[in-house]
Amino acid sequence: MAESTSAPSQTAFVQQLNFWARDASNESAALLGAVALGMFEHLPDEGSSPVSLEVLAQRIGGSVRGTRSVIEPLVGLGFVRLEEGRGYSLPVASAFLRRPGFVARMREARGWWLVSAKLPEAVRTGSPVAWLGESRDLLGWYQQEFLAPRAPAPDALAADYDERAARNFLRTQALVTSGEVGLLEALVPGPRPLVELAKVTGSQPEALRVLLGVLASMGIVRQEGESFGFSELAGRSLDASSLPYFQRSFPATMDYWEAFGHLDEAVTQRRFRLDLRDPETARRIYQRNASRITGIFASHVKLGRKAAELVVRMRPLKDARVLDVGTGSGVWGAAFGLSEPSVHVTYLDSEHVLEQVKPNIAKLKLEGRARYWAGDCLSVDYGESQYDVILLPQVIPALPPEALPGFFAKLARALRPQGLLVISGYLLTDRRDGPLDALYFSLRRYVSNEGDVLSMPDFRRLLEPVGLTSSRGFEMPIQQVVIASRGDVPWPDVAPVR
């Protein structure tokens, strides 16, 4: 069982780990979903007249928003061509996507999507798992996909599609399972014999050997005789302090698993297996998210302070009144509260989320300048000329697109002269063909029946009609911020995103 022969840098390895934990399943879902929807049968060949998004949606029997959420990652990855202002077509190099054998392979792979969530059971029992009245050899599928010899692929692009679509989600499940059974934690102290690892994880030895083999193919594990340990890069990346942080993404990934398994159903029937417009579902997911972010609160406060420093370069914050809309963990409002001792911050969110916020603010000794406002951000009355800065921390993708014009109108009315609207989160390119992590996040928002990720042209179409005529995007650590004003505040000497 050989360790991966590639030698990525430490930074590249950590990025790859995070991709497998967070975005790999999103990518697989888009690629497999496109095949399930028959999308490639309805795309014209490159050189022919492209098909518009609306026509493509009609041809596959899907909604425009759902069709766009699937095809945008395909454009970003280069499998589909987008001609600005005209539409989509299938490049010559992507002709393999119509081959019956390749389509059959993708459909077979997709048939393992929901079953793969039972990998922890398979590793613990060493037996096939029951699925829809059938016995499915999940461990055998993993052996075939990762441990059996494979013939060289004659078509590099087809091999890349296959790798991303058919195996990336299996890699995600291997990581999630390794966390669930305690394998990653068990490997932190150093190499251990297989039988010992099987005992501490409650697994069958030969089933665990399969899982370890998959991790070895991913460059995470290496074998020394009958003992297994982290690879050198994994050992430096997944120590006792960093492993808990890394594993916090696993529950969120699994929240969306069933929804991604039925992506085609969401696109064609608007049936959402994870519907965050349902109040009880939203309460459960958002409360968990706020709790998870609380666990990494300190590091995110540092990121939020970067945005506060950018705002200070535009206008002073002395005695400023700041509104943090959809505050989540309270991290962005706290960052602005820490930036200037006279700033007063109002934290707006649902009551159950605010219960997560209050201890975070108390620890920073900011409660004396804090107000907690329980309410729905779309229905509350923000008043007129109440705030100097309004923060929207990753709120827009959670809101129905049809509600945004009225929402921005109320926020603009609530801003004082020289007021700033600060929107944090992902920002798409003007063509909506990247960055890939933003496109995957947008797909996740779609399958949970939420909002959208926007580009700067999208934002300007919403902001300018309500009087926020000046807006720019700025690069921040991890994500971006969009800042908007009435044009009465000078821009800082900082290059915008675009």
Side-chain angles (χ1 to χ4, degrees), residues 449-472:
N449 196 20
E450 289 190 289
D452 200 0
V453 179
L454 305 181
S455 65
M456 277 308 305
D458 294 329
F459 273 115
R460 289 180 178 129
R461 281 191 287 270
L462 290 163
L463 295 168
E464 290 176 1
V466 300
L468 299 177
T469 55
S470 186
S471 59
R472 289 185 183 178

Side-chain angles (χ1 to χ4, degrees), residues 188 235-248 295-296:
V188 168
R236 293 203 300 266
S237 306
L238 302 174
D239 58 23
S241 60
S242 62
L243 182 59
Y245 175 88
F246 173 66
Q247 293 187 131
R248 283 192 180 102
I296 52 177

Side-chain angles (χ1 to χ4, degrees), residues 47-264:
S48 304
S49 179
V51 63
S52 70
L53 176 64
E54 292 74 16
V55 170
L56 179 61
Q58 184 180 34
R59 288 180 179 178
I60 67 172
S63 67
V64 171
R65 169 74 177 94
T67 303
R68 179 160 60 79
S69 73
V70 174
I71 203 167
E72 285 178 342
L74 298 174
V75 173
L77 289 166
F79 295 115
V80 171
R81 177 178 170 82
L82 169 63
E83 292 185 43
E84 194 70 25
R86 299 190 67 200
Y88 302 95
S89 60
L90 194 68
V92 174
S94 295
F96 65 88
L97 290 166
R98 294 201 187 111
R99 295 175 193 155
F102 191 86
V103 172
R105 157 70 176 162
M106 292 298 102
R107 293 188 184 279
E108 181 184 28
R110 191 168 185 267
W112 290 94
W113 183 283
L114 296 172
V115 185
S116 69
K118 303 193 82 170
L119 184 59
E121 175 189 330
V123 170
R124 289 184 175 117
T125 65
S127 303
V129 298
W131 184 257
L132 299 179
E134 297 180 356
S135 179
R136 303 291 296 273
D137 186 6
L138 182 56
L139 292 172
W141 183 256
Y142 266 90
Q143 285 179 304
Q144 172 185 312
E145 291 300 300
F146 293 98
L147 307 180
R150 306 184 69 84
D155 187 327
L157 194 62
D160 182 47
Y161 196 105
D162 186 278
E163 195 69 28
R164 294 173 184 273
R167 296 189 190 86
N168 265 348
F169 77 92
L170 296 175
R171 293 184 175 99
T172 298
Q173 278 296 348
L175 272 178
V176 171
T177 297
S178 299
E180 183 171 327
V181 303
L183 176 60
L184 296 177
E185 186 177 357
L187 292 173
V188 168
R192 303 174 73 170
L194 175 64
V195 291
E196 184 180 326
L197 287 171
K199 183 176 181 180
V200 299
T201 60
S203 305
Q204 292 299 311
E206 291 310 306
L208 187 61
R209 188 189 294 275
V210 172
L211 179 59
L212 286 161
V214 175
L215 297 179
S217 73
M218 297 164 67
I220 298 171
V221 163
R222 65 182 173 189
Q223 182 176 1
E224 301 171 3
E226 275 301 296
S227 293
F228 295 84
F230 279 139
S231 66
E232 182 180 353
L233 289 174
R236 293 203 300 266
S237 306
L238 302 174
D239 58 23
S241 60
S242 62
L243 182 59
Y245 175 88
F246 173 66
Q247 293 187 131
R248 283 192 180 102
S249 62
F250 294 168
T253 296
M254 291 309 300
D255 281 339
Y256 290 84
W257 203 263
E258 182 183 6
F260 276 139
H262 296 278
L263 175 58
D264 56 332

Side-chain angles (χ1 to χ4, degrees), residues 325-362:
V325 179
T327 184
S329 66
V331 64
W332 278 79
F336 275 74
L338 290 169
S339 68
E340 159 62 48
S342 62
V343 166
H344 186 281
V345 182
T346 297
Y347 301 87
L348 170 64
D349 215 312
S350 58
E351 187 65 57
H352 56 270
V353 171
L354 290 178
E355 291 307 310
Q356 299 278 346
V357 175
K358 292 174 183 178
N360 297 334
I361 303 307

